[in-house]
Amino acid sequence: MDVAHRRRIALGFGLLLVSRLVLGQTTGTLEGRVTDQSGGALPGVTVELSGPRLQGPRTAVTTSTGEYRFLSLIPGDYEVTASLEGFARAQRKATVSLDALTTANLEMKLSTSAEVLVTGEAPLIDRSSTTAGSSYTAKVIDKLPLPSRNYADIVFTQPGTQADSGETQGRSLAISIYGSTSAENSFLIDGVNTTNVIKGIQGKDINNEFIQEVEVKTSGYQAEYGRNTGGVINVITKSGGNEFHGGIFGYYNNLSLAADQKNTLTQPFTEVGNSQSTTITTKNTRSEGGLDLGGFMVKDRVWFFAAYDRVITGTEIRPTSGFAEGVDFPNTYTENKYSLKLTLNLAPSTTLQGVYFSDHQSQVGTIVASPTVDDPPITNGRIDVGGPDYGARLNQLFGSTGILTLAYGQHADRYQTKPQLRNGVLFIDTTTNITNPGVFNYIGGYGSVFGATQNNHSTRNNFSATYTGYLGNHEFKVGGDYQKDSTAGSSYYTGEQSVVVRACTQVATRTCDLASAPMWTNVLGDSYPVFFEHDFFSANADPTSIVADAPFVTPTKRYSGFVQDQWRIIPTLTANFGVRYDAETLYNSAGGKAFSLNDQWAPRLGITWDWAGDGTSKLYASAGRFYYAIPTDLNVRVFTPSTSQASYNYSQTSLDRVDGVCDTGNPTPGCVPRQWLVQVGTVHGEPVDPGIRASYQDEFTIGVEKALDPTLSVGLKGTYRSL
């Protein structure tokens, strides 16, 4: 093989990999068949497609079998017109749904004066797809009671979905789909993968008014979707048009008449027995207002859509025990959400679209309402969540035979905690509480801030390319991706000191001042002296000053490729075949490879049959393997070292820290070791066995569905999953 030929092969394989199809589809397809009154195919018919979502009308000519096809259509309403000399013009209205195939057949009559107009809605059943789920347009979403005004609320209307106890970072929804956890779904907005990088949860909270359509895939999806074992929530935002449209919206909730939320936490049983702490949370008000505007800069050439939304929520936390009993700890949540989309018609068959959306939220006020703190400003701080996302997508049409899509997306999310500095000293009453070990954790400020959960920011960069082609009765797709996820952050400690009182239960290994130690007796009657085990501290008396920990940066790189074919054996019988390949490498904070997960081959098979033959029925079955992309939380917790500054004081009579040297073998009673740094973990993290393989889930589904009328369908489905 010559060098030039090898280079061509390498270039072709490289183009396949520089892509990311889990970015999701943002358009739909419309096709149909034109016949005469007897049902015979009419070739050579000119079919024109028009609508407010098109930058100028499109035309196609029917094939020898009377078929036509329009690709890459923004979801919405369209009008199809068929014209042929000697026949009356036929028109039909059709609604295209997100990432779905809409069929609009037309019948033409031998008449020169009559016209046929047929109205149509989006079909309830896509008879060529084994994917389970539904699509929801903006009109439907606007009428549904979504309590949190979070677009992901719509997912709970699907069978097989429920909330779980996963992390939410205070605003996301924990959605479990058919047994997969809330950290195993994919969230796509305008083709950008917005899944939270470090936790795998919902990573973007945009306003419902920004959205054009939400598609929920719960099972049976094809090989172009991967890196998740749960569902795919695919969203597109509104676009501009040849006519200006917009709106102003506002909401106000005063919850003063609502009942307070009472949360009681029961601690696990310890030697001192069960203990409970109760906190009253009161939501005060929620106000929201915004506006949106869409239109054109140049008709049929340059469209725009822009929107802004601002939400302010006030809350209060009121502990019912401890020093802070009855003290109000206020919080204010401020959200600023943006959306911007530009659509450029570069040529009749070339479209370039750019998107920007952001969901920044800041929480200012009490970070932790501690029972040992009765001064709310001591625990004040700020938490910032969310960030901006960007995306660009180029669609190149090749008539009705194919479409090439190149895309880039960047997602950003964060959960960053900052203290509100304030001078002051937290008083610790050692005389009354020293004899109750294992219970009290005295802090100034709000204690430890752990980077993996409370102080990090993440980015995801991805590139994608895919080609969809039509050859006879086959619709095939081929594509792949490159993606880099990265999380950075740091852990630190706020406050002048944190004292943990413990019992000296192992005198042989722990040094205690036994002569002056107060004694403590547990519920079993055993007596032990007590001592101060940990005394974390900063260098001054500021209770919200920061003792910094080692920062971290942990990336993960991923590649994928897929090929799939949808073969329409006969008009009522369709078979789907596909296979997906994924690989990922996790890196530690030193930039070295932690481990790789390769050879993630995921076959997908499916078959559908429209037994009624009119598009109102579907009997289907599918089988597939699904792999899961590991969030960067693993990189941070396992392959990143952490350090903390501490002193250890084994005296029961003093909290003072001194720099005197103690004889650790035979220490003097009351001696306090000097401050020192404790490192947890190593630079390279935990060792990993060679040849480790990725976990996967096998899914088998069989179902039946029948449309009773254009607005009502019934179905029955069974799904088996093995993890």
Side-chain angles (χ1 to χ4, degrees), residues 586-595 684:
L586 283 70
Y587 294 84
N588 58 40
S589 60
K593 184 177 77 171
F595 66 92
H684 300 290

Side-chain angles (χ1 to χ4, degrees), residues 95-173:
T95 301
V96 175
S97 297
L98 178 60
D99 195 19
L101 173 65
T102 299
T103 301
N105 296 326
L106 295 103
E107 180 183 292
M108 303 188 72
K109 298 181 179 180
L110 286 167
S111 172
T112 57
S113 58
E115 293 185 357
V116 178
L117 177 61
V118 181
T119 60
E121 297 289 341
L124 290 178
I125 297 177
D126 184 353
R127 63 180 183 179
S128 64
S129 174
T130 60
T131 301
S134 300
S135 291
Y136 304 85
T137 64
K139 293 180 180 179
V140 174
I141 295 173
D142 186 56
K143 293 177 173 58
L144 290 176
L146 305 180
S148 64
R149 289 191 48 75
N150 185 327
Y151 76 91
D153 254 330
I154 199 75
V155 182
F156 289 116
T157 64
Q158 287 292 307
T161 61
Q162 62 182 11
D164 66 14
S165 57
E167 291 192 46
T168 63
Q169 294 189 340
R171 62 177 190 159
S172 301
L173 299 181

Side-chain angles (χ1 to χ4, degrees), residues 22-24 26 187-195 355 357 389-393 408-411 462:
V22 81
L23 287 175
T26 62
F187 295 87
L188 315 172
I189 300 179
D190 282 332
V192 179
N193 182 3
T194 64
T195 309
V355 296
F357 46 90
D389 285 23
Y390 307 87
R393 178 178 292 258
Y408 167 75
Q410 182 185 90
H411 166 70
N462 44 53

